[in-house]
Amino acid sequence: MLKGLGGLGDMGKMMKAAQEMQGKMESLQEELHTMTVTGESGAGMVKATSTAKGELVGLDIDPSIFNPDEKEVVEDLILAAIKDAQGKASDRAQEEMAKLTEGLGLPPGMKLPF
């Protein structure tokens, strides 16, 4: 009897699933370049927009904060908004990856290398 042949069929299914998953991962990587998140600081006086890949694509600064005596405060607000956007981008990328990997039976919270 060739009981091992059943395993070959399963292997074929696994290979097909892996190929489908790779295609979905590639699509997701492309989508992450177009998804945007906005971080902010100073109660919304400084807003930084980033792709879900973490690329900064926009900065919106309320002109009322431009006081030459508070240059360092303004710089801190800008940095805080950028860091907030980058954190949100990372979270968004992880959320999207989690949606994609839910059906794979991977342990919850497992981070894939991208």
Side-chain angles (χ1 to χ4, degrees):
M1 298 182 98
L2 296 171
K3 290 183 180 177
L5 286 179
L8 290 177
D10 289 343
M11 183 61 107
K13 285 181 189 174
M14 284 177 58
M15 292 298 288
K16 185 175 184 199
Q19 287 174 339
E20 288 176 10
M21 185 63 175
Q22 184 178 359
K24 289 179 182 178
M25 289 287 200
E26 288 170 4
S27 294
L28 176 60
Q29 291 300 313
E30 290 174 24
E31 288 174 31
L32 292 177
H33 284 290
T34 59
M35 292 178 190
T36 59
V37 295
T38 301
E40 57 181 66
S41 66
M45 295 183 82
V46 177
K47 296 177 184 171
T49 303
S50 163
T51 68
K53 286 292 266 184
E55 178 187 346
L56 188 65
V57 293
L59 200 54
D60 181 30
I61 303 171
D62 187 307
S64 69
I65 69 169
F66 290 115
N67 177 341
D69 297 333
E70 296 179 6
K71 178 181 182 290
E72 290 172 2
V73 172
V74 172
E75 291 168 347
D76 288 345
L77 287 173
I78 292 169
L79 284 175
I82 291 170
K83 287 178 183 174
D84 188 38
Q86 289 172 331
K88 288 179 179 178
S90 178
D91 291 346
R92 179 69 181 268
Q94 286 300 322
E95 286 171 22
E96 295 298 325
M97 195 61 65
K99 287 180 198 173
L100 190 62
T101 58
E102 264 175 14
L104 291 181
L106 295 175
M110 179 176 172
K111 294 189 179 194
L112 295 175
F114 19 91

